[in-house]
Structures are given as structure tokens and as C-alpha cells.
Amino acid sequence: GQSMTFDVTASGSAPLTYQWYKDNSPITGATSSSYTLNTVATADGGNYYCVVSNSCANTSTSTIILTIDQAPTISSQTGNSTVCEGQPMSFNVIASGTSPITYQWYKYNTPISGATNYLLNFTSTTTADVADYYCQVSNTCGTVQTYASSLAVRVAPSITSQSGNEVRCEDQSVTFSITSAGSSPVTYQWYKNGTAIANATNTTHTISVVKPGDATNYYCTATNSCGTAFSSPVVLTVNTKPEVVTSFDS
């Protein structure tokens, strides 16, 4: 894309004529003491020289080698990515152009120290890594930049609080509850003695009328795309109503 001019200064009896050559072939119209390529392209790379002539002799200049460097171009890059906290992750960029090519990764427009490779590696992601990232690719001919790619880090659920053991009289009600942290959406499932309870899929589970058969262990799971957390089992104790037993002596 740049321009290039070859020049020769010659002495001798006039008239002097000039003919420029590329790779031993005469260049049409290149018959002046200078030859200019206004916008060089890859195909212009090669060996150039000029033959200066008069009625007495032909004299050739030394061969000049023209090397065309190419500015970097980006052919592919990692797009937006979502991972679970603790997982590894990499952004990468594939670029072409004349070597040497250098790389510099940025986080929110701030250069990342030591991130000077085509790969940006996270060995164990954390929520502190959530950001937009891009890379600048450079050589002696220019700099290009990838588009910004976002990194989202999802957090596995954890149980932050829960109900404890409960004691109820028969026919009373009882409610178990949990609270959890983690990336949405989080789904819930309550269990009774290790068996999933139908439709018990909220942060609370209520037994409106407690019966002796409800006396057992209960726990809840909280699940998202990154994992499942289990609440600690809690025990429901059910006190039964007194029964009057009447006996008659004969």
C-alpha cells in the first residue's frame, strides 16, 4: 500500500537512455532515471535494476531487491464465552502478516501485563475475570484489533441458610425453607427420606396437615448449570394425639 521510487544517477555522453527491469524483464514505460510504484502490492516484490545506454555502451545498475511486508490481518478469534467459576478458559486470535507479529491483550481497554501471546489463558476463572477482552496485533506495517469479546462467569449454587429440626403435633402445619446463592436460574427440589417430593420445587416446602407418616428426614437441592448444592437433612418429629382406650369389666 505504500509507494516506492527507484532512482539512478548516470554520467556519460548524451543522449542517455534508461530501461528498468523486474526479474530480468523490461518494465513497459519505465524509461526514465527513476521508476515509481505508487501503491505497492505483494506481486511487486522482486529484483529490480536499470540499464543506462548511449551510443557507446550499455551499463546496468546493481540489483535492488524489493520486499513487500504485509500488515497484520485477523482471520478468526474467540467470541463471547460463558464458563462456570473455577473452570479454565482461553481467548485466542489467529492473524497473518509479515513476521514478527506481536500481540497485546486488553481488559476493559487496560493492557494485561504479560498477555503478549495469541492465547489469553485463564487457568481457573473467578468472578473477577468478568469483563470485555480484545487483542491488538501489530507488526512494522500496522496494527489491527479484534472486536471485544465478553467473558461471563457463572457461580454454582450454595446454601446460605436453612430451617432446622422441627417438632409438630399431629394435624399442625410445618414449613421448611432454604436460601441459596448462585447464578440464576436456580431450581429447587425437596426430598423426603431420600425420595423427591412431587411439586416441591420452591425455596419452601409446607406440610399443611402433619401426619405421623410425615415424621422423617427432609432436605432440598439447589441446582443451576454449574452444579447442585444440598441442604443439611432436618428431622420432623410428629407428636400424636392422645387416644382414649375404654375397657369394660364383665
Side-chain angles (χ1 to χ4, degrees):
Q2 293 179 323
S3 64
M4 175 65 195
T5 297
F6 300 100
D7 288 295
V8 59
T9 301
S11 60
S13 298
L16 298 178
T17 62
Y18 302 86
Q19 178 60 62
W20 287 91
Y21 289 77
K22 178 193 175 188
D23 297 332
N24 297 320
S25 296
I27 303 170
T28 302
T31 56
S32 179
S33 60
S34 65
Y35 172 59
T36 298
L37 296 166
N38 292 317
T39 305
V40 295
T42 304
D44 293 320
N47 299 320
Y48 291 81
Y49 63 92
C50 184
V51 175
V52 184
S53 305
N54 65 10
S55 59
C56 295
N58 301 323
T59 302
S60 296
T61 65
S62 300
T63 298
I64 304 168
I65 300 173
L66 176 60
T67 302
I68 309 300
D69 288 342
Q70 293 181 319
T73 59
I74 294 169
S75 56
S76 68
Q77 69 170 95
T78 306
N80 298 335
S81 299
T82 300
V83 296
C84 294
E85 186 176 28
Q87 288 182 330
M89 189 273 165
S90 295
F91 287 112
N92 77 313
V93 57
I94 298 177
S96 59
T98 301
S99 297
I101 295 177
T102 61
Y103 303 85
Q104 178 60 63
W105 286 92
Y106 289 77
K107 176 182 180 180
Y108 285 146
N109 298 320
T110 299
I112 303 170
S113 177
T116 55
N117 198 291
Y118 72 97
L119 279 175
L120 176 62
N121 285 316
F122 300 86
T123 55
S124 180
T125 52
T126 70
T127 53
D129 297 320
V130 173
D132 291 334
Y133 295 85
Y134 66 88
C135 185
Q136 286 187 349
V137 184
S138 304
N139 68 7
T140 56
C141 291
T143 298
V144 291
Q145 182 174 302
T146 66
Y147 59 80
S149 297
S150 64
L151 173 60
V153 178
R154 291 179 56 79
V155 179
S158 60
I159 306 299
T160 56
S161 66
Q162 67 171 89
S163 302
N165 297 333
E166 298 285 356
V167 178
R168 290 291 187 274
C169 292
E170 186 178 0
D171 293 338
Q172 289 183 327
S173 67
V174 65
T175 296
F176 299 107
S177 66
I178 67 163
T179 59
S180 69
S183 299
S184 298
V186 178
T187 61
Y188 302 91
Q189 178 61 61
W190 286 91
Y191 290 79
K192 175 183 178 182
N193 200 27
T195 300
I197 304 170
N199 300 318
T201 55
N202 208 325
T203 55
T204 61
H205 173 55
T206 298
I207 304 173
S208 299
V209 181
V210 169
K211 296 299 181 183
D214 296 319
T216 188
N217 298 322
Y218 294 83
Y219 67 90
C220 184
T221 59
T223 302
N224 67 10
S225 59
C226 291
T228 298
F230 292 76
S231 69
S232 299
V234 294
V235 177
L236 173 60
T237 300
V238 179
N239 294 329
T240 59
K241 297 177 180 179
E243 294 184 7
V244 176
V245 178
T246 302
S247 61
F248 297 93
D249 293 330
S250 57

